[in-house]
């Protein structure tokens, strides 16, 4: 190996080292988030087994939507004007 090849190798290793230093915190954060999510999911499953309700309720909200309120308002105006 001559001087140019050694210099290129050192440059590539330095670039690779900087890339690793920049990416490593993100990878550590992703792994940590996954671990926390897994613990939360496990705790919810454990709590769900202990507090199992006798009857399941629907997940849909019973509050009318904005479209329903708007339609009811228009209907009531028609009734008042007639």
């Amino acid at each position: 190996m001559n001087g140019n090849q050694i210099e290129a190798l050192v440059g590539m290793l330095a670039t690779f080292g900087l890339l690793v230093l920049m990416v490593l915190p993100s990878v550590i954060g992703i792994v940590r988030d996954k671990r926390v999510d897994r613990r939360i999911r496990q705790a919810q499953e454990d709590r769900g087994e202990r507090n199992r309700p006798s009857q399941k309720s629907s997940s849909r909200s019973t509050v009318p939507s904005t479209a329903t309120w708007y339609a009811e308002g228009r209907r009531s105006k028609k009734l008042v004007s007639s």
Side-chain angles (χ1 to χ4, degrees):
M1 291 180 92
N2 60 18
N4 288 339
Q5 290 174 332
I6 293 174
E7 187 177 334
L9 180 63
V10 169
M12 284 192 303
L13 289 176
T15 303
F16 182 70
L18 288 173
L19 177 67
V20 168
L21 285 175
M22 291 175 67
V23 171
L24 189 62
S26 297
V27 171
I28 291 171
I30 290 169
V31 169
R32 182 173 176 233
D33 284 347
K34 296 258 185 202
R35 187 177 64 231
V36 169
D37 289 343
R38 186 172 53 244
R39 287 182 180 174
I40 290 172
R41 194 177 321 113
Q42 183 179 8
Q44 287 175 342
E45 289 173 359
D46 291 345
R47 186 180 59 192
E49 290 175 3
R50 280 187 274 141
N51 298 333
R52 184 170 297 196
S54 59
Q55 182 181 9
K56 290 185 177 181
S57 64
S58 67
S59 61
R60 296 193 60 166
S61 173
T62 57
V63 177
S65 68
T66 306
T68 305
W69 289 341
Y70 178 75
E72 287 176 358
R74 293 196 42 106
R75 273 185 253 150
S76 63
K77 286 180 185 175
K78 287 182 181 178
L79 292 175
V80 170
S81 65
S82 57

